[in-house]
Amino acid sequence: MASLSQFSFSHMLVFILLAFFCFSNLCFCFKPKHFNLSTQAVHWSSAGATWYGSPDGAGSDGGACGYGNIVSQAPFSSLVTGIGPSLYNSGKECGACYKIKCTKHPMCSGKPVRVVITDFCPGGPCASESAHFDLSGTAFGSMAIPGEENKLRDAGVLQIRYARVACDYSGKTIMFHVDPGSNHEYFAVVVEFEEGDGDLARVDLLQASSEPDEWWEMNQSWGAVWQLNAGTELHPPFSIRLTSQYSGQTLVAKNVIPIGWQPGATYRSLVNYL
């Protein structure tokens, strides 16, 4: 009996150790690169800030990310920014959201405002400072005490605090604007309104005639524009798979580009990250 009990106990101990080892490794294997931004605490850092364009405008008409005139429309609503090289990341951070606030000028409200990266600021303080926001006139003024926006803009340059945050477009789904130069063998698209991380590391396309796992990797053309030069006729409808830059989360917009799609048209998906 004693030997049988010892045998059972030793086997149970081995089982427990193996279970613990396997569980630990499974947790490690499936651990994401980062937690989603929507679950993270806000961590503030320091940056410089300037503004460009008209005092109540959106900076420029779409800027280096390729969003076009939607930057002045809801949900962006001109609360947008150009960003220096350190945060622009060769356009991979187009669509990322930040909270900004100023406290060191008498006209600062101290209240945070969320802005979206839609443009690139390549020179001057944008290049020399570790982080710099070249804000639209609207975004710069939004940091002011109500009614004192022009006085704050008159300051020209500010030291601000900034923090990366999740994008939230109040339930709006992701949209895909087809580049006007697209055709049956070349397809390019601007990805708009990604909630959560906001940024993209990878975009893949699945055509109707493909096997379920035969995704074509698209290349980042510039900014938020992704392209596929297939060299052969592509067969719609197209499904598009997005992989976020910050957390590596994937999302599939199934058959979002329909049969009979048109260059220059915009197509709304049924999905988003939040």
Side-chain angles (χ1 to χ4, degrees):
M1 289 291 292
S3 60
L4 181 59
S5 299
Q6 290 172 356
F7 178 84
S8 300
F9 177 79
S10 62
H11 275 66
M12 183 178 296
L13 182 60
V14 169
F15 176 80
I16 292 171
L17 289 173
L18 284 172
F20 178 79
F21 177 80
C22 292
F23 179 77
S24 299
N25 279 272
L26 283 170
C27 289
F28 175 79
C29 292
F30 291 101
K31 183 178 180 181
K33 184 171 67 171
H34 292 286
F35 290 110
N36 186 284
L37 276 166
S38 62
T39 66
Q40 295 296 289
V42 174
H43 300 286
W44 295 95
S45 302
S46 296
T50 47
W51 65 279
Y52 71 115
S54 64
D56 298 313
S60 65
D61 188 11
C65 288
Y67 292 121
N69 60 11
I70 68 168
V71 296
S72 61
Q73 304 166 14
F76 288 157
S77 303
S78 299
L79 292 172
V80 296
T81 186
I83 205 76
S86 63
L87 295 178
Y88 186 68
N89 192 18
S90 300
K92 289 286 178 62
E93 296 304 318
C94 285
C97 294
Y98 286 84
K99 280 188 177 179
I100 57 170
K101 61 182 178 180
C102 71
T103 58
K104 295 185 177 181
H105 188 279
M107 298 299 107
C108 290
S109 69
K111 296 180 179 179
V113 178
R114 187 172 59 203
V115 296
V116 184
I117 294 178
T118 60
D119 205 355
F120 178 49
C121 178
C126 292
S128 61
E129 296 180 359
S130 59
H132 190 94
F133 289 73
D134 197 21
L135 299 155
S136 69
T138 298
F140 197 96
S142 69
M143 295 187 292
I145 296 169
E148 304 296 344
E149 293 84 0
N150 286 332
K151 290 183 180 178
L152 186 64
R153 282 189 285 262
D154 287 344
V157 181
L158 291 175
Q159 286 299 306
I160 64 168
R161 301 284 284 168
Y162 76 97
R164 181 75 183 271
V165 296
C167 298
D168 184 355
Y169 298 119
S170 300
K172 195 177 188 71
T173 55
I174 293 174
M175 299 178 71
F176 298 87
H177 178 73
V178 180
D179 186 87
S182 297
N183 56 52
H184 294 302
E185 296 185 1
Y186 171 81
F187 183 79
V189 67
V190 182
V191 187
E192 303 169 350
F193 310 134
E194 309 98 276
E195 293 187 320
D197 295 347
D199 54 13
L200 291 173
R202 177 170 172 153
V203 177
D204 301 282
L205 181 146
L206 181 71
Q207 56 178 327
S209 60
S210 299
E211 295 296 325
D213 59 348
E214 194 178 339
W215 290 90
W216 293 57
E217 182 177 357
M218 302 181 74
N219 297 313
Q220 184 193 16
S221 178
W222 55 279
V225 182
W226 295 78
Q227 65 176 2
L228 174 62
N229 193 356
T232 185
E233 185 175 353
L234 294 166
H235 300 282
F238 304 145
S239 296
I240 298 180
R241 182 173 65 192
L242 309 176
T243 303
S244 69
Q245 175 80 7
Y246 183 86
S247 66
Q249 290 187 317
T250 59
L251 186 71
V252 175
K254 187 174 181 180
N255 297 333
V256 66
I257 308 299
I259 295 172
W261 62 268
Q262 295 295 316
T266 300
Y267 299 96
R268 183 186 300 275
S269 74
L270 299 176
V271 295
N272 214 323
Y273 279 100
L274 296 182

